[in-house]
Amino acid sequence: MKQVAVILSGSGVFDGAELHEAVLTLLAIEQEGASYQCFAPDVEQLHVINHLTGEVAEGETRNVLVESARIARGNIKSIAECDVNAFDVLILPGGFGAAKNLCTFAVDGKNCAFNEDVLNVCEAFARAKKPAAYACIAPALAAKVYGNQTKMTIGSDKDTAEGLNALGACHVDCAVDEVVVDNDAKLVTTPAYMMANSISEAHASISKMVSTVLAMK
């Protein structure tokens, strides 16, 4: 049975992990006969968004690991505890948390900073030539990790694609229910809610990503 490390970035599309993407990822992993362990950085979120109004909740702070634990039903560890040798595959669902809490791509674009512990784990999987999958906006991290014109996608948004290319990636436009595979890097990416207009479209995107990355040797 393949062991999958899943990195979450909080809880909520606008300031954390996209919940549908996260849950669909965990479900797809189980349906493919693999198992998972969730991780998240033990840091404060960039900010807190009121998901009812879309406004920043002034004066409120939340911890990425604590919020991610909501999705993982408490079964989660700090990213600092993730040992690449214990896992076969790495998967990062999207949500703005991936581009706000795991890195600052949402704010700073190509000049973004990266959470050191998250970057270390992602780079460790890349160096070990272990398959990895990044969904939605999470390929912003993959662009930094892999560089070298590695093929990846966030869908077809021109400005975001240019930001990934500026970090060293080679962006490929992709339909919502498809994936982009770079076999040399053993990297799979998919647009998910960068393009999805429904949970069923997100499911098609995420399930194909998971099945594709788990089939890699």
Side-chain angles (χ1 to χ4, degrees):
M1 178 184 290
K2 288 190 174 180
Q3 308 294 319
V4 183
V6 178
I7 301 179
L8 301 176
S9 57
S11 179
V13 57
F14 298 125
D15 58 9
E18 210 297 318
L19 273 83
H20 294 170
E21 290 182 13
V23 172
L24 289 168
T25 295
L26 302 182
L27 176 61
I29 290 169
E30 282 198 358
Q31 289 179 329
E32 291 292 329
S35 65
Y36 61 82
Q37 173 64 55
C38 293
F39 296 92
D42 187 3
V43 296
E44 294 302 303
Q45 294 182 185
L46 172 67
H47 54 203
V48 178
I49 299 293
N50 179 328
H51 280 64
L52 186 62
T53 65
E55 301 295 323
V56 174
E58 298 293 347
E60 187 173 346
T61 61
R62 297 190 185 187
N63 179 279
V64 177
L65 179 59
V66 172
E67 290 301 296
S68 299
R70 294 176 178 271
I71 299 172
R73 295 172 61 87
N75 181 18
I76 194 167
K77 298 179 180 180
S78 168
I79 189 63
E81 298 180 54
C82 184
D83 178 4
V84 64
N85 298 309
F87 297 94
D88 304 294
V89 175
L90 174 69
I91 299 181
L92 279 76
F96 274 109
K100 290 180 177 180
N101 304 326
L102 306 186
C103 68
T104 62
F105 184 80
V107 178
D108 301 318
K110 66 180 181 180
N111 299 313
C112 61
F114 295 81
N115 177 279
E116 185 175 347
D117 289 333
V118 173
L119 189 60
N120 286 342
V121 168
C122 294
E123 288 179 337
F125 274 87
R127 285 194 304 271
K129 294 293 185 182
K130 293 189 173 183
Y134 293 68
C136 191
I137 193 61
L141 284 126
K144 170 68 172 179
V145 170
Y146 293 91
N148 298 318
Q149 296 298 300
T150 300
K151 293 186 295 183
M152 62 188 70
T153 192
I154 47 77
S156 59
D157 182 77
K158 184 174 182 290
D159 290 341
T160 309
E162 288 177 352
L164 264 63
N165 289 340
L167 286 169
C170 175
H171 183 270
V172 179
D173 284 355
C174 179
V176 67
D177 58 348
E178 292 295 334
V179 297
V180 168
V181 179
D182 190 300
N183 286 307
D184 290 338
K186 294 188 177 180
L187 176 69
V188 182
T189 53
T190 195
Y193 272 110
M194 286 294 290
M195 295 184 70
N197 293 309
S198 65
I199 192 170
S200 58
E201 287 189 352
H203 173 252
S205 179
I206 294 292
S207 60
K208 185 159 190 175
M209 177 190 75
V210 172
S211 64
T212 302
V213 75
L214 286 175
M216 284 182 163
K217 304 297 184 183

